[in-house]
Amino acid sequence: MSGGSAPLPYSMRDVGAGGAYNNAKFRHRSRLKMFVQSLATNSSKYRCGKFTVGKFLSLLMVSGILYLFLHKSPEGPVPVELHGKEVHSNNVRRAPNIRTFWRKPPRLPPRLPPNEIYKNNSLLQQSPSEWTSRQKKVKEAFEHAWSGYRNYAMGYDELMPLSHRGTDGLGGLGATIVDSLDTAIIMGADDIVSEASKWIEENLMKRISEKGQVNLFETTIRVLGGLLSAYHLSGDDHAGSGDSGIPASYKKANPERLLEVSKDLADRLLLAFTSSPTAIPLSDVILRDRTAHAAPDGLSSTSEASTLQLEFSYLSRVTGDPKYDREAMKVLEHMRTLPKVEGLVPIYINPSSGQFSGENIRLGSRGDSYYEYLLKVWIQQEENRDSSLKYLFEMYTEAMRGVKHLLVRKTVPNELVFVGELPFGRSGDFSPKMDHLVCFLPGTLALGATKGITKKKALESKLLTDEDIENLQLAEDLAKTCVEMYFVTSTGLAPEIAYFHIEGNAEGGPDGGNKSNKYVNDIIIKPLDRHNLLRPETVESLFVLHRITEDPKYREWGWQIFQAFEKYTKVDSGGYSSLDDVTSLPPHRRDKMETFFLGETLKYLYLLFDESNTLPLDKYVFNTEAHPLPVMRSVEQASHSV
């Protein structure tokens, strides 16, 4: 893309007053008919006695047609089947015959809205080989990102691609290595699998025993989740529900060592749970001391406390030790008892009292993955969905109803659907602010509607309720908004935070810079929110929606986003950089490559262009850092599925 992404290929000008498309608007009119009508309309203005100028011109035109008909090419008339094609024979142009002039013109199809255009226009249907080629480009980007990290930051948590050095911002456990390992396995990047596995085997256990403070949430989702996902993909742990679809020829890691390191790390992280006076864990752990403490303000983020269960529950399954699952599930069982606002909860919780703190309700930072894990934990433990974990799906359902009632609005003038915030609770003012982090929600809504199977299959099996269909439509509407947050900027990359124009709200500010975008006046991007951190949430939802709806537009949108990453964030010496301002060209780069760019963003893009039997959504659940873990079934369930 140059300058910014092009607007989506449809126009509301093609829609009639009743909302239907008028095919007559797209029918070509005969040039001869138009000319005759023009003469009939205008000739009265130039009358000269009884013989008018119009009559003279009409007579002259008819004479010309008769001349052409009588003096046709000696090679005979042009065959009808060649009309519309350019024909050459010995460099002699054939004279047209009367049928050429009176041939009925072709009828053009109407321009369609984005939900239909990719289904009906064969020009936009890419061949399987084209998607394979694009998938290869994503793999090359992953290898380029890894090369920068390996050359300049191996062993550090993150790469600083501009200054060619590493930095430890996540506890010094080599977070990029662990976050990247399962991505490398999925892509078949064997050299990277070997390099990452060797480093983990030789260094990670020692790092865990020597390092100091780490955040419970970040270490669980990135390091523990990464280790466990690589463990599953590298061996047959018999905890899953089916084949991953990853070729057996791809190189794997050492599963025994991965599980050993996982247990050692998890045992230390458990101190955050057992040291707390309530079911809510403390936020930080000192690994080498095996101690835990709360954050300086004494609070934990609601999302952080409730986004630990997928990893710890899976570890209990593969080790046979229930302590990990027991401690993690206490959090959700406790949150079940707390008061909520139509299923919605504040973004802070106090581990000392076990109560929510403040009234700020949002699905962005510090709130997002609470809602995600209500659904995903329920999906993961399939054997308990209708029994001990039924309450999780009920909490999820209530929360989504609350989102639709209290947080979903439309912009003016073009009615983009978005999810806002209630900074002061139900009684306070609504804020038309949406973090990029909220773009996880379209994928979660789609997953909640079909439970991972395709929409087509769910409809054929009559598995979708009216509420499921409503949620799936909301998912598609929100995904479009998330994509427009990219396309509305000069770089084609989304800001960290966007605000939206709504009726009766005086919120104002600069736009994204792409003046050709239809929604440039709907989306506001404030100066402090213009940065892009290479985040994955939008491409995550595109991946899930493509798997469920099978609509190729999601692949097309993902490809445009990937091209923008390539154009503006790729560093020639290796790695990719965050951006300070997505609204200006050229954008100023920020000297950091987040671990989730390799662990999530590129993984979801790769899977977006992959076959649907790779990590199928009814057999795998992705943790909030995109590490796939198998849906856990009982032995009886697994035998029935074979």
Side-chain angles (χ1 to χ4, degrees), residues 212-236:
Q213 179 174 308
V214 297
N215 177 265
L216 170 65
F217 164 75
E218 296 290 358
T219 306
T220 298
I221 67 170
R222 302 193 200 209
V223 182
L224 183 60
L227 290 169
L228 292 174
S229 180
Y231 163 75
H232 171 75
L233 297 176
S234 297
D236 187 7

Side-chain angles (χ1 to χ4, degrees), residues 238-242 382 631-642:
H238 303 291
S241 59
E382 185 175 26
V631 170
M632 298 187 298
R633 294 167 140 177
S634 65
V635 175
E636 181 181 356
Q637 287 174 312
S639 64
H640 284 315
S641 68
V642 176

Side-chain angles (χ1 to χ4, degrees), residues 163-215:
S163 56
H164 296 167
R165 57 194 180 93
T167 181
D168 282 335
L170 294 164
L173 300 181
T176 290
I177 299 173
V178 187
D179 230 359
S180 302
L181 179 54
D182 63 350
T183 306
I185 294 172
I186 292 166
M187 292 183 177
D190 291 348
D191 290 344
I192 298 176
V193 173
S194 295
E195 292 167 353
S197 299
K198 181 180 179 181
W199 188 92
I200 290 171
E201 290 185 29
E202 295 178 354
N203 298 282
L204 188 52
M205 188 82 86
K206 186 172 184 290
R207 290 281 184 99
I208 291 171
S209 66
E210 294 177 350
K211 287 296 180 180
Q213 179 174 308
V214 297
N215 177 265

Side-chain angles (χ1 to χ4, degrees), residues 33 100 267 274 286 301 362 381 478 489 507 570 575 603:
K33 185 176 180 180
T100 304
D267 286 341
T274 58
I286 309 295
S301 298
R362 67 185 184 214
Q381 300 189 39
L478 287 173
T489 71
E507 193 75 56
K570 187 173 185 178
K603 180 186 295 166

Side-chain angles (χ1 to χ4, degrees), residues 534-596:
L534 311 174
R535 285 201 185 277
E537 288 76 24
T538 294
V539 294
E540 170 188 358
S541 286
L542 296 182
F543 157 67
V544 175
L545 279 165
H546 178 259
R547 285 284 181 91
I548 287 175
T549 69
E550 301 176 293
D551 191 332
K553 74 183 179 191
Y554 296 113
R555 279 179 159 178
E556 292 288 350
W557 290 348
W559 177 245
Q560 290 186 56
I561 291 171
F562 173 72
Q563 287 179 301
F565 278 128
E566 284 289 283
K567 183 171 184 178
Y568 293 112
T569 71
K570 187 173 185 178
V571 179
D572 291 341
S573 58
Y576 290 75
S577 70
S578 303
L579 299 179
D580 277 333
D581 186 353
V582 296
T583 68
S584 63
L585 292 176
H588 186 270
R589 292 180 169 182
R590 181 176 292 190
D591 195 14
K592 189 175 185 181
M593 182 176 74
E594 300 278 356
T595 76
F596 51 66

Side-chain angles (χ1 to χ4, degrees), residues 327-361:
E327 294 298 331
M329 289 303 298
K330 282 181 181 178
V331 180
L332 296 180
E333 291 164 1
H334 175 74
M335 287 188 172
R336 177 186 185 184
T337 68
L338 299 179
K340 303 172 184 66
V341 179
E342 297 189 28
L344 306 178
V345 296
I347 62 172
Y348 289 106
I349 192 165
N350 191 325
S352 296
S353 66
Q355 301 297 309
F356 289 120
S357 179
E359 296 182 283
N360 193 341
I361 293 174

Side-chain angles (χ1 to χ4, degrees), residues 591-633:
D591 195 14
K592 189 175 185 181
M593 182 176 74
E594 300 278 356
T595 76
F596 51 66
F597 184 64
L598 293 89
E600 298 187 73
T601 309
L602 293 177
K603 180 186 295 166
Y604 280 129
L605 283 166
Y606 183 87
L607 292 172
L608 175 62
F609 304 139
D610 206 343
E611 300 295 330
S612 59
N613 61 352
T614 301
L615 301 171
L617 293 179
D618 59 338
K619 296 179 180 179
Y620 282 86
V621 60
F622 289 76
N623 85 338
T624 200
E625 190 73 9
H627 295 304
L629 297 170
V631 170
M632 298 187 298
R633 294 167 140 177

Side-chain angles (χ1 to χ4, degrees), residues 422-438:
L422 294 174
F424 304 100
R426 185 205 293 267
S427 60
D429 290 338
F430 174 85
S431 172
K433 168 180 172 285
M434 186 168 113
D435 293 358
H436 185 277
L437 288 165
V438 180

